[in-house]
Amino acid sequence: MKKRLNGFLTLLLVLVVQIAFAQERTITGTVVGENGLPLLGVNVLVKGTEVGTQTDFDGMYKIEASQGDVLVFSFIGMERTEKTVGAENIINVTMVPDAQSLQEVIVVGYGEQTRKSLTTAVAKVDGEQIKSIATPTISGALQGSANGLQVNQNSGAPGGGFSVRVRGASSISGSNEPLYVVDGVPILSGSIGENDFFGGQNNDVLANINFSDIESIQVLKDASSAAIYGARGANGVVLITTKRGKAGKTSVEINSYAGFQEPINKYELFTAGQYYEFGDRAFESAFGVPGMLSKGMILGENILEREGAASLEDLYAMDFGDNYIDAVYRNSAVLVRQTDVTISGGSDRARFYTNFTDFNQEGAIKSQLFKRRSLSFNANFKANEKLDLDAGVSITQSFNRRVNGDNNIYGVLSTAVLERPGEDLFNEDGTYNTSSFIFSNPLQNALVDKSTSENLRIFSNLGLRYEIYKDLSFYSKASLERLDYNELVFNPATTRRGQGSNGYSYKGVYQINRWNVTNTLNYSKDVGNFDFTGLLGFSFEGTNTETTQVDGNQIPAGLELPGNAAVPTTAYNAIDENKLFSYFGRAGVSYLDKIFFEGTLRADASSVFGAGQQIGYFPAVSGAYIISDEDFFKNKTLTNWKLRASWGQTGNSTGLGNYGSRGLAYVRSYEGNPGLGVGQLAAPDLSWETTTQVNVGTDITLFDRIDLTYDYYVKTTDDLLLSRPLRNSSGFTSVAANVGKVENRGHEISLNARIFQGDFNWTTQFQAAYNKNEILSLEKDAAGEFIPIDRGFATRLAVGQSLSAFYGLQADGIYREGDDIPEALAARGIGPGDVKYIDINGDGNINANDRTFIGNALPKWTGNFRNTFRWNNFDLSANLQFEYDKDIYNNSLGFAGASGSYLFNKFASQLDYYTEDNQDATLPAPRYGSRQSYNNQDSDRFIEDASYVRLKEVVLGYTLNPEINGTPISLRIYIGGDNLWTETDYTGLDPEVNAFGSDNAARGTDFFTQGLNKVYKVGVNLKF
């Protein structure tokens, strides 16, 4: 108490002294904008002190100051203003917009525009916002950052692939991933190599992009902004701008974080006793004999005797053997770390930027590991007043060690769940136990089977800009991208997977070269009240891919490569290429900097199509009107109002392949003699899938501190590239054709608010996007009916449904004693404890004709809610990400659920199954044979709500600003976490997963797919 009193008296003395020497008085005034409207929340500070206040709703302020003091007025989006206190007591201020803020640069295709002049739908993400997220891929860093961009991590495996959708999915056979462009050059993306072993863990080429180098990211969402990329812009475009050096003293930045991970969820399973009780009940329901599984009548081993149980009831209460789930997960800290060092600087004539990054991430499952090292260098050189040069090179080397994945009887998680419990993973002599398991030893699958990949990626570019005269410049850029990908899969003869072949080895080598040359003329001219801009360009791009694949059986002990196989089985080598020639142009005009029009046209000529169909044209138009700049518009609340509208067309040919339109001959063997045979029918009339999109939107600013953006779009894709069925007499089952139509329509709303400014700073961002996906047309049969397409486990593509609709039976609980069971079902043995399916067609039976649509994997709503707080040297940011109104097909329940086979272990959640003593159960009774198959049909019993809200990232930091030998230093220390909290009703490991990876149609299916991890991290950021 004394200390508090002393402090108060000291403060009071200081105030008295100040009053005595500085005769303070009250200064009042009003702060308005250029339009004369009052500004709310302007910071007013006495320079050199901590005395300050803010303006109220009427723009008025009141502050104590002395003659000679300087008042500093500051406000986001306005130029800082200073006023010296004289004899007057009233100081009114008119603040003018900050030119830099108004002219915020937005990167667009082959150029830049200001935020004010933008007529299209573009989302921007700053590199600083994502650089500390513990993920190896740029796709993962974008999750929850850009409105209208749905990003899902298909699996929790490190280095694994993501699915990215801009305003929904538009293609069935082609890619739905956006085009990625780095510094104006389209780059390779997607998955490469053989992914059949790994389920949803398909690799991601984008994991080789170091996003520590990223300055900003722009997502082109509507067709008008993406049409400048023509035949590749249908799925949106992600423009990545890398960092460049700045003139001035050389600066060094070191950013390093380290942390550990843990799975968000782990499976909980039946004990060994519960497993045998379930199996015994299944066989007793079929044969009336108790204890058949436990007593060895089925699998040949009497477990009752082996475990020394006095009775079946005693056995059922026991648990024995190893815990497979605990065994395959790492039991020590699962590490993740990254360190990057940046050096940049230069002069007005020459600037440079260089970065080295080392990233290392272990997987939650044993053996999993992803490592990446990258080195990049960017340089800018001003040769003279007219000529500028820029160059860049990045080299990335990565290593990925994966384990057998989901949808695989040798998968680590699938066998850890499904294998019969109660067995030891090791024999007494320390070797792996392979004889006691029905499928394979889960731990051996993780530690002994080998799956590795190594990747070397080199990306280089050189640009030249020449100012022909003041309003016209020429820019030329050439780039070369080289990707070397090597993968090895090795299954020793000691493993269950390798036993049948006495050791199996596969080696794949992929070498991809892509070159690009782009030349553009850029024009800009002010004529009176009009501003004109123009762009003309030509680009040439080629991609060459060489693939070599070799595998073999009977690998001697101690060797791994297929070249050592005693029995080579496959040797494949192919070289293929594609080329794209393009002309493009853009013209824009603005009037009084408030009315804007823009038009774009691109012509693409692609080698993948036949003669007469190789050229496609992709036009677009857009316009904007800033109503708030009109003299008649003065509104204290609505301080900015802009209307936008656009229309455009873009293309997609990724579903065709390099030679999909051509007739091909394959090598055949005829009685031991080589020859050629027709392998593919020609489809010379094939053309691009064409996406037409209409977008209307508005940008609103309230009180100069709340920014609202709204967009409505309709995105229709025609001429889908699909297979058209043929008569068997043709010798082929199908031929490629342009058939089908898909539509996406939706709404996007974004709110950014600067709630508090000053010593305490609080900004918030809320983004939400609604999208409805619908198939409008497919191929028709001879009767004129649309032919549905079945994919995955329970996905059906049909007109009127979404691209990822689930199809199956509808269940209405289970039959209980006294229920009226249809005669046809009773004749099949169906009784109490079996699933009660709804008889859709009313024929008294249950079969495939009773199937209907039972769910949809595509979310209706996606979005995020981000808040950033700053107080003195502290900063805190948190980002909540959500998906709402989507389903997941939990195919894991078809095996580890109550209706699954007795062979498989079950989830602990499945204990409430029907028995004579538990007739109020919610789950069907254990069954064997046809009754088990009946209960286990594809149905909405396996459909679950996969909506979720996730704390995607939270970071708390503190910044120190010391000086060492006169050199200012910034040292920020932070702690944070990723995926720390997830709220969902889904009972699986994670609601994001996709067992079929990036498959366009079979979305939202879980089949023992590895879930995501929580990440806890601590880091430092040092700048000097």
Side-chain angles (χ1 to χ4, degrees), residues 28 107 254 436 468 599 617 710 797 799 873 970:
T28 61
V107 178
I254 301 173
S436 300
I468 301 172
Y617 297 94
Y710 168 78
L797 309 181
V799 172
N873 292 349
S970 173

Side-chain angles (χ1 to χ4, degrees), residues 454-500:
E454 296 181 70
N455 199 331
L456 177 65
R457 185 174 192 163
I458 302 173
F459 178 73
S460 60
N461 61 84
L462 176 65
L464 176 152
R465 185 181 303 277
Y466 184 76
E467 184 179 299
I468 301 172
Y469 61 90
K470 179 182 177 181
D471 302 318
L472 182 65
S473 64
F474 170 77
Y475 185 66
S476 179
K477 191 161 198 171
S479 69
L480 174 64
E481 183 177 11
R482 170 68 181 244
L483 182 65
D484 289 347
Y485 182 84
N486 293 268
E487 60 183 352
L488 173 66
V489 175
F490 174 57
N491 307 125
T494 55
T495 67
R496 184 67 67 86
R497 186 164 198 164
Q499 278 181 352

Side-chain angles (χ1 to χ4, degrees), residues 45 160 163 242 288 365 390 429 513 517-518 585 602 820 887 889 992:
L45 182 71
S163 296
T242 61
I365 293 177
D390 63 83
D429 61 2
N513 291 287
V517 177
T518 302
R602 178 167 178 135
D820 183 20
D887 300 314
Y889 187 81
E992 270 193 53

Side-chain angles (χ1 to χ4, degrees), residues 661-684:
S661 66
R662 306 179 186 279
L664 299 179
Y666 294 163
V667 175
R668 298 284 189 262
S669 175
Y670 296 92
E671 297 183 353
N673 297 309
L676 296 176
V678 179
Q680 176 179 289
L681 291 178

Side-chain angles (χ1 to χ4, degrees), residues 686-697:
L686 284 179
S687 63
W688 279 278
E689 297 180 347
T690 301
T691 296
T692 303
Q693 187 173 175
V694 176
N695 188 100
V696 293

Side-chain angles (χ1 to χ4, degrees), residues 630-866:
E630 295 289 357
D631 293 336
F632 64 80
F633 191 96
K634 284 194 176 183
N635 190 300
K636 185 184 298 185
T637 302
L638 189 63
T639 52
N640 181 68
W641 185 15
K642 177 182 178 181
L643 298 176
R644 293 177 284 104
S646 68
W647 173 92
Q649 290 185 324
T650 48
N652 187 358
S653 63
T654 55
L656 189 59
N658 290 339
Y659 308 106
S661 66
R662 306 179 186 279
L664 299 179
Y666 294 163
V667 175
R668 298 284 189 262
S669 175
Y670 296 92
E671 297 183 353
N673 297 309
L676 296 176
V678 179
Q680 176 179 289
L681 291 178
D685 296 329
L686 284 179
S687 63
W688 279 278
E689 297 180 347
T690 301
T691 296
T692 303
Q693 187 173 175
V694 176
N695 188 100
V696 293
T698 185
D699 304 310
I700 295 172
T701 301
L702 303 173
F703 310 111
D704 281 321
R705 63 170 54 207
I706 301 174
D707 299 323
L708 286 169
T709 298
Y710 168 78
D711 283 278
Y712 171 75
Y713 62 88
V714 179
K715 176 182 172 184
T716 305
T717 302
D718 293 282
D719 297 327
L720 297 183
L721 291 166
L722 294 173
S723 295
R724 172 171 289 162
L726 297 176
R727 296 181 181 274
N728 293 336
S729 58
S730 69
F732 294 86
T733 59
S734 63
V735 64
N738 288 110
V739 292
K741 187 175 184 178
V742 172
E743 180 185 85
N744 290 275
R745 62 173 63 220
H747 308 264
E748 295 170 354
I749 185 168
S750 175
L751 180 150
N752 291 274
R754 300 167 291 280
I755 299 176
F756 289 110
Q757 303 291 325
D759 288 341
F760 176 67
N761 186 300
W762 176 14
T763 60
T764 189
Q765 176 195 67
F766 175 77
Q767 298 182 136
Y770 170 87
N771 185 75
K772 184 179 186 299
N773 176 276
E774 184 179 357
I775 299 173
L776 301 181
S777 177
L778 289 172
E779 177 66 10
K780 294 182 179 180
D781 60 19
E785 299 291 330
F786 291 113
I787 305 173
I789 302 171
D790 290 330
R791 299 280 280 271
F793 295 120
T795 301
R796 169 164 285 195
L797 309 181
V799 172
Q801 302 295 325
S802 78
L803 274 176
S804 295
F806 297 119
Y807 190 70
L809 299 174
Q810 287 183 315
D812 185 22
I814 57 176
Y815 287 112
R816 306 182 188 278
E817 290 290 343
D819 283 354
D820 183 20
I821 300 175
E823 182 178 339
L825 295 182
R828 295 163 57 181
I830 305 305
D834 292 320
V835 178
K836 182 193 295 185
Y837 294 114
I838 296 177
D839 184 9
I840 295 292
N841 64 1
D843 65 355
N845 205 350
I846 297 296
N847 51 42
N849 296 325
D850 294 303
R851 292 178 298 169
T852 187
F853 288 95
I854 54 178
N856 180 12
L858 302 182
K860 290 290 196 304
W861 289 95
T862 61
N864 75 292
F865 181 47
R866 182 189 300 272

